[in-house]
Amino acid sequence: MIDDMEVIVFKVITASGIAKGLAYKALDKVENRDFKGAYKLLGEANEYIDEAHEIQKGIIEDEVTGNAIEISTLLIHAQDHFMIAMEVITMVERMIKLYKIIYKEVDEENNKLHTT
């Protein structure tokens, strides 16, 4: 584990922020019916979340082995970013499923829902 806690915290914030941004970009792709592009971006988002999770896991392992760190507002802020990014990814994944349903039901020519 890196000794400088500020560096660790900012790595979590950065990775989480990038992950969240990629998830929103994936949603933009879906709105333009680019499901392949959306899934690619979600894959990248999950790689960044995994990076943040590994850092978080290291902090927890340090505490379990008796090397607890001082809880700071900055660490709490980093955890907030991490949790929000995970939830955004989950919601975007669910929204993609909804878009798939909606796009099947839309009459492209008239831009209306099928009634049958």
Side-chain angles (χ1 to χ4, degrees):
M1 179 62 62
I2 302 169
D3 291 329
D4 188 0
M5 186 49 65
E6 282 186 9
V7 172
I8 293 169
V9 166
F10 280 111
K11 283 184 175 187
V12 171
I13 291 170
T14 300
S16 299
I18 292 169
K20 184 173 69 171
L22 288 167
Y24 282 124
K25 284 183 180 181
L27 191 55
D28 290 339
K29 292 279 186 188
V30 169
E31 289 172 354
N32 293 309
R33 298 178 184 227
D34 181 3
F35 290 98
K36 186 176 179 180
Y39 285 123
K40 181 178 183 291
L41 288 170
L42 278 179
E44 291 176 35
N46 279 307
E47 288 175 17
Y48 280 100
I49 280 297
D50 290 346
E51 181 182 321
H53 187 250
E54 284 301 311
I55 296 168
Q56 179 195 45
K57 194 166 76 173
I59 294 169
I60 293 168
E61 287 171 353
D62 280 354
E63 184 167 336
V64 169
T65 59
N67 298 318
I69 59 153
E70 183 180 325
I71 303 298
S72 69
T73 305
L74 196 55
L75 178 60
I76 294 167
H77 181 65
Q79 286 298 110
D80 285 345
H81 275 278
F82 176 66
M83 297 301 296
I84 290 168
M86 287 190 346
E87 285 304 309
V88 166
I89 290 169
T90 299
M91 291 304 297
V92 168
E93 288 170 344
R94 295 187 79 171
M95 290 176 79
I96 288 172
K97 290 177 185 176
L98 290 172
Y99 269 101
K100 284 182 167 184
I101 293 167
I102 290 168
Y103 286 149
K104 278 186 178 178
E105 298 299 319
V106 172
D107 177 348
E108 293 296 323
E109 218 173 278
N110 299 312
N111 198 27
K112 293 183 181 179
L113 289 175
H114 291 293
T115 56
T116 55

